Amino acid sequence: RSGIAQILNRRGSNGGIAVFRKDGTTVGSISVTGSSTAYNTSSDYRLKENVVDLTNAVSRLSQIPVHRFNFISEPSKTVDGFLAHEVQAIVPEAVYGDKDATKVDPETGDVVPVYQGIDQSKLVPLLVAAVQELTARIEALEAP
């Protein structure tokens, strides 16, 4: 059957609609307002240490191949995107899983693929740092 698999509905006020925890510590949430949805991940400075500026972003960003392709399940729909294992070499925190991983299906005994995933939001800090680096270069070139 087709249709919506799950509905989360917050009534009355804006705020959290789902919370994600690891060992009792909140690591993410989904919150809503009357017109938007926010997918939040931990970013509070109190959770972090060894904070340094991101440098060499343009060089790293330039190493990430960007492709046009279709998914096998949707041959008529072409999209822009990445191959997870290529991104993993440059921004490993953006990729979940290992290239060419397999497992044995406990029900059939067949060896089946375990596909990699990518969290493209993990590329945003690199993109912002690259724009900042390029802006500084442009400003230096335009300076009298």
Side-chain angles (χ1 to χ4, degrees):
R1 269 179 86 157
S2 64
I4 297 171
Q6 181 178 26
I7 296 174
L8 300 174
N9 184 28
R10 182 179 177 94
R11 294 180 181 259
S13 63
N14 298 339
I17 198 162
V19 172
F20 301 93
R21 293 187 175 149
K22 169 71 167 91
D23 295 328
T25 300
T26 298
V27 295
S29 65
I30 301 173
S31 57
V32 295
T33 70
S35 62
S36 67
T37 303
Y39 301 91
N40 312 299
T41 190
S42 299
S43 188
D44 193 289
Y45 74 96
R46 294 169 294 179
L47 297 169
K48 302 171 184 182
E49 62 183 6
N50 304 316
V51 177
V52 297
D53 290 341
L54 194 160
T55 60
N56 202 29
V58 172
S59 175
R60 287 179 60 208
L61 190 64
S62 296
Q63 294 176 51
I64 300 174
V66 183
H67 305 284
R68 287 192 53 76
F69 55 86
N70 67 276
F71 284 93
I72 295 168
S73 63
E74 295 184 286
S76 64
K77 183 178 179 184
T78 302
V79 298
D80 302 330
F82 308 101
L83 303 180
H85 72 278
E86 293 177 343
V87 173
Q88 190 170 37
I90 294 102
V91 188
E93 63 272 22
V95 177
Y96 180 79
D98 298 312
K99 183 178 185 286
D100 300 323
T102 60
K103 69 176 183 178
V104 175
D105 184 317
E107 294 180 16
T108 65
D110 296 337
V111 175
V112 296
V114 178
Y115 298 114
Q116 286 185 293
I118 185 169
D119 179 354
Q120 295 182 30
S121 70
K122 296 288 192 284
L123 300 177
V124 172
L126 186 61
L127 290 165
V128 170
V131 169
Q132 291 171 338
E133 287 178 10
L134 293 170
T135 299
R137 289 182 194 175
I138 292 167
E139 289 173 350
L141 291 171
E142 292 177 343

